[in-house]
Every structure is written in C-alpha cells, then in structure tokens.
C-alpha cells in the first residue's frame, strides 16, 4: 500500500506528480533532483513533465542544489563593499548571489522596507528565497526584494560605486525572471493562451522594481513597471471585495486592499511629473481592513501615510497640471481651497499624534523614528506644494499682518515649514532615519529647502526685524547642512543650494553664515 502524505515536495508539486513524502521522495531520488518541502504550496499550471524535469534540473544546477553539486561560496557584506560588483557577475541566466546573501538582507528589510510597504512579510520573503530555484515568480520577487532593500539601506548614498552595479544586476535578473513567469503561464502544449498570472508577488515585484529605477533617473521605466502592477491589481476588482467571517478571507481582502493603496501612493508620487497621469482613485471601501498579522505600529504608520496622499486628490492634480501645462482644464483656484488643503494636513498631524498616544497607552509600542521622519517630511513637503499652488495663482499676501490665514502668507515656508523641519532634524537620534529613505525623501527635502530659500530672497518687509530674520536664517542653514550631508543628494542639487546660500549671504550681511559657506 502506497504511503499517503499531506504535502508534496516542491519538485513533485511543480511537476504535478504524486509524492510519497519521503525525504528524499522516490520521484526526486529517481530523477536526481533536490527534494525540498516549502512551508507554503506553490501553485503551477500542468505542463509537459519531461520539460519540467529538465527545467528543474537546470535551475538546481545553477544554484548548486542538485545532489553532489558544489554549493556557491558565501559572500559577506564586507566582501561586497571591497569588490567590484561586475567581477561577480555570472554567465547569463545564472544566479548572481548565493542564498545566504538574500537571507542576510531580511533584518534590514524588516526594519526599513516592510513598515512602508506592509504587503509581503519577511517570513513570506524567506519562503520565496527557499523556492526561488523552483518558480520564476519567487525568483523575480527575491531579486527585487534584495534591490529595494539595498537601495533603502545603503546603495543610494554610494550609487556611483559597486552597489550601483549590484542593484542594476538585481533589477535585470528580476525582470528576466518576471517575464519568464509570464511566459510560463501560456499553454504551450495545448496551443491556447493559458492563464494570466495574477498574484501579490508579481505586483510587489513591479512596485519594488519601480522604486529601484528612480535613483538611476529611469522615471519612465519606473512609471511603466508601476503601471503594470496597477493593471494586475485592477484585474482583481478590489473595489468590490467583501470579506466574510473566515479569518483567512479577511486577511486576503485586507492584503489586497493594502497593495491597492501601496500602488496608489507610488502613482501619486510619480504623477507630480506632468507626463505621468494617475488612474487609480481612492479605494471605495476606504482604508485597509484591520489585520492582526501586521504589527500595530506598522499598520498605524501605513494608514497615516495613506491619509497624507489623499490630500493629492483629482482637483489637486488638475491644478498642478494646469500650473505646469497652461491650457490644461482645472477649476477656479480659491483661497478657500488652499485653506482646506492645509487644514487636511493639520488634521493629519493631530490625528497621527492622537493615534500614537493611544497605541502607547495600549502598550503596543509607537512609530519608529524611521516612520516618524517619513511622515513629518512628507507632510511638510505637501504643505510646500499647496503653498506653491497658492503662489502661482496670486493668492498670497506679502505682509503677514495682511493675511487672514497663515498658509496664505508669502512667508509661510520660513515662518512655519522651516521651523517644523528644524525641530525634526534637532530631535533625530540617528541621521540614518532620513538617509535610508533614499531618493524620495532627499528630493522632498530639496524641494522644501529651495522653497524656503526663494522666500528668504524676498526683500524684508517693514514689520520684520533683524532678530527674527537671524532666527529664520539659522533654521534655514541648519536644514541646508542636514541635506548636504547625504551623499545621495545629487551634484546639481548641491550646486543649486550652494548658489542660493551665497546669494542670501550677499543680502543678509548682518547674519553670520559661518561654516555654511564651506558646505
């Protein structure tokens, strides 16, 4: 009587054949394949078994997992820093790094990537690492996970060095495996098209790759791959999903809702470039459902980030595109609309503080400094964008006393925004809390700093005194120094900021610029 097993090994599951559950099983022993049992089953379409055996053997030879094959040597992170990345680049189609390298990135992914992208957990990434030699979707996700983790934690500060080559290789291998996963969905033997591969792994692979392409200046590629992620999400019609009482169903619905909002946030960021339109609307069911599998502080930070990006509604983008493309249709700009947008940001700030206090009172921890820095800088940046829209429509008053609302003053950036940013900078325990955000956060800091510099070049009004001006300049120079300390700040941005500081020194002769001119 044959032995029954509740779980087939990875190779038998992939080939859709009966597995006896032994270790190794009879099928793998006969075909000289590595016999592994992953935690989660991997769903595959049936195909030619001889072809699948050959494909498995080819993948396992590449990664040193066939019985008797030599494993790839372990490469430490120190070794990577000291070696030219291109010297470890393999022949086309081979894995470029051993499994151990990907496993070493998991703690950094957990701390610096997952809190802002709480879709695929570190444990699920670990499972994909174990299965990357079996399924193309897992392979694509693992390469993308490695690229985005390196990008967030260290690569962008040295993008010109070996990490740039490593990231580029990871991106290329992820894209190759991603397309292979799509091709595997075709019914080659039956002559039909087969199924469309739609799953969370493919969506997050696209989103991770889109994030990684931006530091290289590949905004068009980033937009292209993000739009593919959005298309996959739209095939699921997430707007109509309703969860039942089954816990697994609720988790699945909540996860697809989170991935929808994830794509929404990234699309809104790219849509600030006039050539990249947005197509996702706010999810009709609202914020993601509660999911107890997510740490409370991660859930809170993600929801507050969604609230921030909801400020960029369709009316906001209509005004933004009209500002950059004259003739683009947009409703009339009013002071009331500007005040409403700033009030939304005020509410977000208050709401975040209240929810954090509640979280702490319940003994569930608090937002990490990394999360707090992201929320505060993003909020200040959005205030800057709203203020710029008011400026472009002539809605600002030159003198603070003439402005009925603080946000409608010419001096709003230097009177409030630079002070808020200075307070954040002064209270950071680690500069890395900002630097590890990579390109996005540094671009936001640059936008804020240059806006404040533009306002400071305006002539002093009769009501201003030197004492208050010195304070404003001190705040400004402090955040300039903070921005320029990051190697990831682009050369052209550095030169622009230095030129603005020099121009201000010629205006404010009574201010001691000190070391600011040596930045």
């Amino acid at each position: 009587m044959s032995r029954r097993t509740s779980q087939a090994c990875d190779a038998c599951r992939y080939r859709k054949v009966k597995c006896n559950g032994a270790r190794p099983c009879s099928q793998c022993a006969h075909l000289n394949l590595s016999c592994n049992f992953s935690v989660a089953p991997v769903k595959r379409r049936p195909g030619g078994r001889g072809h699948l055996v050959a494909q498995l053997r080819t993948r396992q030879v590449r990664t040193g997992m066939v019985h008797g094959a030599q494993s790839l040597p372990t490469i430490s992170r120190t070794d990577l820093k000291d070696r030219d990345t291109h010297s470890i680049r393999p022949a086309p189609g081979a894995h470029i790094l051993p499994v151990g390298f990907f496993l070493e990135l998991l703690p950094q992914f957990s701390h610096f990537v997952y809190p802002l992208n709480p879709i695929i957990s570190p444990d699920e990434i670990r499972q994909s690492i174990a299965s990357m030699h079996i399924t193309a979707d897992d392979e694509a996700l693992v390469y993308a996970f490695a690229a985005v983790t390196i990008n967030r934690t260290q690569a962008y500060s040295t993008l010109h060095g070996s990490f740039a080559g490593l990231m580029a290789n990871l991106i290329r291998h992820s894209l190759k495996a991603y397309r292979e996963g799509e091709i595997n969905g075709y019914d080659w033997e039956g002559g039909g098209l087969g199924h469309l591969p739609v799953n969370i792994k493919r969506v997050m692979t696209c989103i991770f790759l889109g994030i990684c392409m931006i530091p290289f200046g590949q905004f068009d590629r980033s937009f292209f791959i993000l739009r593919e992620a959005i298309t996959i999400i739209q095939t699921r019609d997430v707007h109509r999903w309703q969860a039942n009482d089954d816990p697994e169903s609720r988790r699945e619905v909540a996860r697809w809702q989170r991935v929808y909002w994830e794509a929404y946030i990234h699309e809104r960021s790219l849509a600030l470039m006039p050539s990249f339109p947005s197509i996702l609307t706010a999810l009709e069911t609202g914020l993601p459902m509660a999911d107890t599998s997510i740490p409370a502080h991660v859930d809170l930070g993600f929801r507050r980030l969604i609230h921030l990006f909801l400020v960029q509604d369709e009316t906001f983008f209509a005004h933004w595109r009209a500002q950059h493309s004259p003739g683009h249709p947009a409703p009339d700009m009013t002071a009331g609309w500007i005040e409403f947008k700033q009030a939304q940001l005020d509410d977000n700030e208050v709401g975040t503080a209240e929810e954090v206090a509640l979280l702490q009172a319940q003994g569930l921890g608090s937002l990490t400094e990394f999360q707090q820095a992201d929320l505060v800088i993003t909020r200040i940046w959005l205030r800057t964008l709203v203020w710029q829209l008011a400026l472009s429509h002539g809605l600002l008053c030159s003198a603070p006393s003439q402005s009925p609302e603080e946000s409608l003053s010419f001096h709003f950036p230097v009177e409030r925004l630079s002070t808020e940013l200075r307070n954040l900078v002064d209270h950071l325990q680690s500069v890395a809390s900002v630097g590890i955000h990579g390109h996005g956060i540094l671009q936001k800091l640059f936008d804020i700093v240059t806006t404040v510099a533009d306002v400071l070049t305006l002539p002093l009004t009769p009501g201003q005194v030197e004492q208050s001006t010195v304070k404003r300049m001190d705040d400004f120079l402090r955040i300039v120094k903070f921005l320029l300390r990051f190697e990831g700040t682009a050369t052209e941005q550095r030169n622009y900021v230095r030129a603005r500081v020099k121009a201000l020194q010629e205006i404010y002769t009574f201010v001691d610029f000190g070391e600011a001119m040596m930045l």
Side-chain angles (χ1 to χ4, degrees), residues 345-482:
L345 294 167
D346 287 338
D347 291 342
N348 181 272
E349 183 175 0
V350 173
T352 300
E354 291 176 347
E355 289 199 46
V356 168
L358 180 60
L359 199 68
Q360 293 173 331
Q362 295 172 338
L364 298 175
S366 183
L367 297 179
T368 65
E369 186 173 81
F370 168 76
Q371 292 176 289
Q372 291 173 344
D374 181 63
L375 289 172
V376 172
I377 292 176
T378 299
R379 187 186 306 117
I380 296 173
W381 172 69
L382 286 171
R383 289 191 187 280
T384 302
L385 299 186
V386 173
W387 180 87
Q388 289 175 357
L389 287 174
L391 175 66
S392 67
H393 287 78
L395 297 176
L396 303 181
C397 299
S398 58
S401 60
Q402 298 173 357
S403 176
E405 292 291 337
E406 179 188 29
S407 61
L408 293 175
S409 166
F410 268 118
H411 301 276
F412 179 63
V414 297
E415 290 173 345
R416 178 170 177 180
L417 303 189
S418 62
T419 301
E420 289 183 1
L421 188 54
R422 166 71 184 269
N423 289 337
L424 171 68
V425 170
D426 286 346
H427 288 87
L428 285 177
Q429 295 182 2
S430 172
V431 175
S433 297
V434 172
I436 54 181
H437 286 272
H439 175 274
I441 209 72
L442 295 180
Q443 181 62 48
K444 291 173 184 176
L445 281 172
F446 175 77
D447 291 342
I448 297 167
V449 167
T450 53
T451 299
V452 173
D454 289 341
V455 174
L456 286 171
T457 58
L458 297 172
L460 294 177
T461 61
Q464 288 181 281
V465 295
E466 288 189 4
Q467 184 177 2
S468 61
T469 302
V470 171
K471 172 64 169 61
R472 292 169 183 169
M473 286 301 306
D474 184 59
D475 289 343
F476 171 72
L477 294 176
R478 181 77 170 87
I479 60 178
V480 165
K481 183 180 178 181
F482 182 73

Side-chain angles (χ1 to χ4, degrees), residues 60-61 85 107 126 129 174 179 186 220 235 242 364 385 393 403 433 503:
Q60 293 180 0
V61 166
T85 302
R126 186 184 298 276
I129 293 172
S174 180
R179 293 305 173 199
Y186 287 98
D220 52 349
T235 64
Q242 298 291 331
L364 298 175
L385 299 186
H393 287 78
S403 176
S433 297

Side-chain angles (χ1 to χ4, degrees), residues 61-89:
V61 166
R62 284 196 241 145
T63 54
M65 297 191 69
V66 173
H67 295 303
Q70 183 177 4
S71 299
L72 290 172
T74 299
I75 301 177
S76 69
R77 299 182 64 80
T78 302
D79 291 336
L80 282 173
K81 294 180 180 178
D82 297 335
R83 296 174 60 177
D84 180 2
T85 302
H86 297 286
S87 68
I88 61 172
R89 185 177 179 184

Side-chain angles (χ1 to χ4, degrees), residues 31-47:
L31 296 170
N32 192 32
L33 292 172
S34 176
C35 190
N36 300 291
F37 290 78
S38 297
V39 176
V42 182
K43 297 182 180 180
R44 300 288 296 184
R45 295 284 292 182

Side-chain angles (χ1 to χ4, degrees), residues 262-281:
E262 174 86 5
Y264 177 93
I265 289 171
H266 288 290
E267 186 186 41
R268 295 278 149 163
S269 296
L270 280 176
L272 290 172
M273 299 181 183
S275 59
F276 298 147
S278 61
I279 59 175
L280 289 181
T281 59

